[in-house]
Amino acid sequence: MKKLINRQAGPVGRWALGLLPFVILAVLYLVASDARLDANPNDKLLPSLSSFSEAIERMAFEPSKRSGEYTLLVDTLASLQRLAIGVVISAMIGLVVGIATGSLPLFRAGISPLVTGMSLVPPLAILPILFIIFGLGELAKVMLIIIGITPFLIRDLQQRAEEIPTEQIIKMQTLGANTWQIITRLVWPQIMPRLLSSVRLSLGSAWLFLIAAEAIAATEGLGYRIFLVRRYLAMDVILPYVAWITFLAFALDFALKRYSQWRYPWFHGAQ
Amino acid sequence: MAAIEIKNLWKEYGQDVVLERLNASVEEGEFVTVVGASGCGKTTFLKMMLGTESPTRGELLLDGKPIPDEPDETRGIVFQRYSVLPHLTAVDNVMLAGELASSRWLGRVFGGKRRALREQAEEMLASVGLDHALSKYPHELSGGMQQRLALAQALIKKPRILLLDEPFGALDPGIRRDMHELVLDLWRKQDLTVFMITHDLAEGFFLGTRMWVFDKERLDPQTPGSYGARITYDLPVGNSDKGTLQSITQSVDSTARVLGA
């Protein structure tokens, strides 16, 4: 028999091994939930499968009695809109500033220290300032996402722009390019797929800032709902919401990855 | 007038003298190969020709004027690696020079102008034997094909001087021979002035019209940086016998040992 370090799982084995922890967790949950509900049928901490499906039915497929809207849909659209606006604005700022500081030494000397300093400020610590300045509306929530992820995007893209081989920058000059043309025909196209992967990395923090902002001041949104029903210990709503947020995050990441592979074959082929 | 004139050229980095007292002049249409041990200033010389480094003392003249201190279209270059742009297909790589010249801001052209550029680019690619790979990305090409593409990309700009920085160093021997023939062929047909850096002495003897050996005449093993390299041999290619090759090899090897130690 081979040493453990040399043993590989086959295609079926890999799937089975990957699913195993999920199955174990699900079984553990069901057993624990059963035991608690046995002792106290009104227990709210580990709801049964049937109360999950009732809660999902109520939140997603029935109009709310109060407003007549589908709660999950309204929450999802509100959250995704904030997330999208925040991430797109951050990506654009990151792209422009990252390219400028990454390819122009004079810009780097002027802007880099400021960006480095700003990236060290914990964004949640200035959330109150944002609410004071921008009020409790949409702007403050979007600003929190922007302030949270833009410094990271700028620094990452600056580094990516600096990694473009000097040979290629010299080559462009020998082909007659001026600075602007080097940026538009060399740096920008080469940075785009890297921007997509930085955005994928920053989506996790973007969700964090979004939910934090919604928890404090909002009237709808996925984060708002979770923190609202927390008061009633409504685990039957919270857990499906968490699963839904996880699925949305996964879907966004997957879509960005596929788009990048389709749009920038040279980037993924060369790696 | 000579295309390139080198007059008492020195290059020093602080205490370290890399090149000292270089004097030479190169006529238009010459093909100069530069050989020597690593650390003997071949690359520094190339950088000065490119304009990314400037001489400490002395003069480096292109057509009687000091060489510009940044790269521009008078000097084309093919590096050992990273010479072509990975995000453009082969034909786009070759069209790039024309696009940059005709559109200051966008760096792109459309319509009839684009078709004309594309035709030129296709012709150029055919002359380096890449007519079958027009719409391939560089990562889909072999190392030899990438260097062919780099040559096509540089030559379509018709540079005054073509610089080659160990362009075939990473290629297999068989492919290297094909590339030698291609370079000689292009040089003859297009009346180029070529400088080629190589550390392969045999390559230097075989290619071009003239070979320079960069070597340290005086070498202090304790402080190898205190004396710079010079052009110790300036030979017309084709007139040299086996004995010369051997003595050059010996001298370059002993310098390499001291510098590498």
Side-chain angles (χ1 to χ4, degrees), chain A residues 171 174 180-181 185 190 266, chain B residues 77 87 100 103 105 107 153:
Chain A
K171 182 84 201 193
T174 63
W180 173 250
Q181 288 174 327
R185 294 296 320 260
Q190 292 213 14
W266 55 268
Chain B
I77 175 108
H87 63 286
L100 294 172
S103 163
W105 286 99
Q153 188 188 36

Side-chain angles (χ1 to χ4, degrees), chain B residues 99-120:
Chain B
E99 287 193 280
L100 294 172
S102 36
S103 163
R104 252 2 238 165
W105 286 99
L106 281 179
R108 281 174 193 281
V109 292
F110 305 95
K113 229 175 190 179
R114 186 172 185 86
R115 274 192 296 279
L117 279 180
R118 197 182 158 95
E119 247 166 58
Q120 285 172 19

Side-chain angles (χ1 to χ4, degrees), chain A residues 3 24 27 38 53 68 81 135 148 214 231 234 247 267-268:
Chain A
K3 286 187 274 295
I24 293 177
V27 169
D38 238 12
S53 63
Q81 190 188 357
E214 285 181 345
R231 297 176 199 161
F247 171 76
F267 180 70
H268 298 276

Side-chain angles (χ1 to χ4, degrees), chain A residues 51-53 55-56 59 72 234-246:
Chain A
S51 35
F52 279 137
S53 63
I56 294 172
M59 303 305 290
L72 180 71
M235 289 292 272
D236 54 343
V237 174
I238 295 178
L239 287 177
Y241 259 69
V242 171
W244 176 240
I245 293 174
T246 311

Side-chain angles (χ1 to χ4, degrees), chain B residues 87-104:
Chain B
H87 63 286
L88 297 177
T89 59
V91 71
D92 284 339
N93 258 296
V94 181
M95 285 167 65
L96 185 61
E99 287 193 280
L100 294 172
S102 36
S103 163
R104 252 2 238 165

Side-chain angles (χ1 to χ4, degrees), chain A residues 185-263:
Chain A
R185 294 296 320 260
L186 173 73
V187 184
W188 180 61
Q190 292 213 14
I191 284 292
M192 279 309 286
R194 295 173 170 92
L195 171 72
L196 287 180
S197 58
S198 313
V199 164
R200 282 175 61 201
L201 280 178
S202 68
L203 271 179
S205 341
W207 277 104
L208 168 73
F209 297 127
L210 174 72
I211 290 172
E214 285 181 345
I216 293 172
T219 51
E220 74 286 288
L222 297 165
Y224 161 76
R225 193 69 53 194
I226 293 179
F227 277 81
L228 181 73
V229 300
R230 176 191 61 96
R231 297 176 199 161
Y232 318 114
L233 291 179
M235 289 292 272
D236 54 343
V237 174
I238 295 178
L239 287 177
Y241 259 69
V242 171
W244 176 240
I245 293 174
T246 311
F247 171 76
L248 288 177
F250 170 79
L252 274 179
D253 184 67
F254 186 78
L256 282 175
K257 184 167 128 191
R258 276 301 149 95
Y259 173 75
S260 180
Q261 282 170 345
W262 168 77
R263 181 69 182 75

